[in-house]
Amino acid sequence: QTPEVRNWLRGVCSGRVVLGANCYADGPLFVRVSMAMDAIIADLVENLKEKPVLAYLCTPTDAHVCTASSKQAAQDNLRKAPAWQPMLSAIMKFAKMGLAPNRVKDDQSSSLPVVDAIVKEQGPNYCLAKRLQHWRAILSRSKGSLVSSNVAPATATASVVSNKSFALAYKGMHHFKPMEVFQGETSNAVMLGLLVNDLRNPLSAGRPETALQ
């Protein structure tokens, strides 16, 4: 029903509208629904008289370019971690997540640190689906659309805690400072605030006229 949804939206959208790509499904269905959303968004960006605003909720379990200050904070927290945490990690052979050895170069050839927080247990379909959203956000912003693309905090949603491993991990997350798991209501309020900021703040990074590092 992707064409039908696209046609309906083209008929009802007038003025500036905010398009939120927030659908989710397990496994390969997530890729399929993400491709459907992407096709609809791509068409509306090209054909609506006024460019739509795109709104994405990025996952924290991904690879993200980060700031130098956040890199330093992560390294400081690692040094302050209690001795049992690295010992437990070595015994349990946990998947390593943290600052990736690779660096991204900006236009001035300066290195930008990357945090690699991809969780392999979420599978390649999840990673691919979220990558589609990143690329559409970048491409649409380059074509003049305002894009609100913020990283949501770890949240105890029904889809996440339905996985027993994730449910157990979330229950023990508070032992790994400063990690914290949010409830859905809190995350919704925080992310809505960030969306409103992107819509109203003339200096928001989501605005295509704002220069990015």
Side-chain angles (χ1 to χ4, degrees), residues 65-76 99 111-114 213:
V65 173
C66 59
T67 63
S69 59
S70 63
K71 172 187 175 182
Q72 185 61 52
Q75 292 174 333
D76 291 342
L99 293 167
S111 294
L112 300 173
V114 176
Q213 182 179 6

Side-chain angles (χ1 to χ4, degrees), residues 13-19 48-54 145-146 195-196 198-201 207-208:
C13 290
S14 60
R16 189 173 73 161
V17 297
V18 179
L19 301 177
L48 289 182
K49 291 182 179 180
E50 186 171 352
K51 294 286 187 183
V53 176
L54 307 187
S145 287
L146 192 159
L195 172 59
V196 172
D198 288 334
L199 291 172
R200 305 295 297 175
N201 185 352
R207 294 184 175 274

Side-chain angles (χ1 to χ4, degrees), residues 24-31 57-64 95 97 116-131 152-155 157 159-163 165-167 169-170 173:
Y24 176 77
D26 288 331
L29 288 177
F30 190 27
V31 177
L57 294 176
C58 300
T59 175
T61 53
D62 204 340
H64 297 286
M97 292 194 302
D116 180 8
I118 293 175
V119 177
K120 64 179 181 180
E121 285 78 10
Q122 289 183 301
N125 292 307
Y126 185 85
C127 189
L128 175 59
K130 300 307 288 188
R131 193 66 53 232
T155 306
T157 61
S159 61
V160 172
V161 297
S162 63
N163 183 302
S165 296
F166 290 148
Y170 273 24
M173 191 74 75

Side-chain angles (χ1 to χ4, degrees), residues 57 153 155 157 182-195:
L57 294 176
T155 306
T157 61
F182 285 60
Q183 295 303 309
E185 296 81 0
T186 305
S187 292
N188 288 342
V190 170
M191 300 313 293
L192 176 60
L194 291 175
L195 172 59

Side-chain angles (χ1 to χ4, degrees), residues 80-141:
K80 296 175 183 177
W84 65 266
Q85 289 186 6
M87 292 175 60
L88 180 63
S89 177
I91 294 172
M92 300 297 291
K93 297 182 179 179
F94 289 160
K96 292 184 177 179
M97 292 194 302
L99 293 167
N102 297 324
R103 296 291 183 269
V104 175
K105 298 288 186 179
D106 63 15
D107 293 339
Q108 287 74 42
S109 297
S110 299
S111 294
L112 300 173
V114 176
V115 58
D116 180 8
I118 293 175
V119 177
K120 64 179 181 180
E121 285 78 10
Q122 289 183 301
N125 292 307
Y126 185 85
C127 189
L128 175 59
K130 300 307 288 188
R131 193 66 53 232
L132 286 171
Q133 296 178 5
H134 283 310
W135 280 111
R136 180 56 57 192
I138 294 170
L139 186 59
S140 298
R141 187 181 183 277

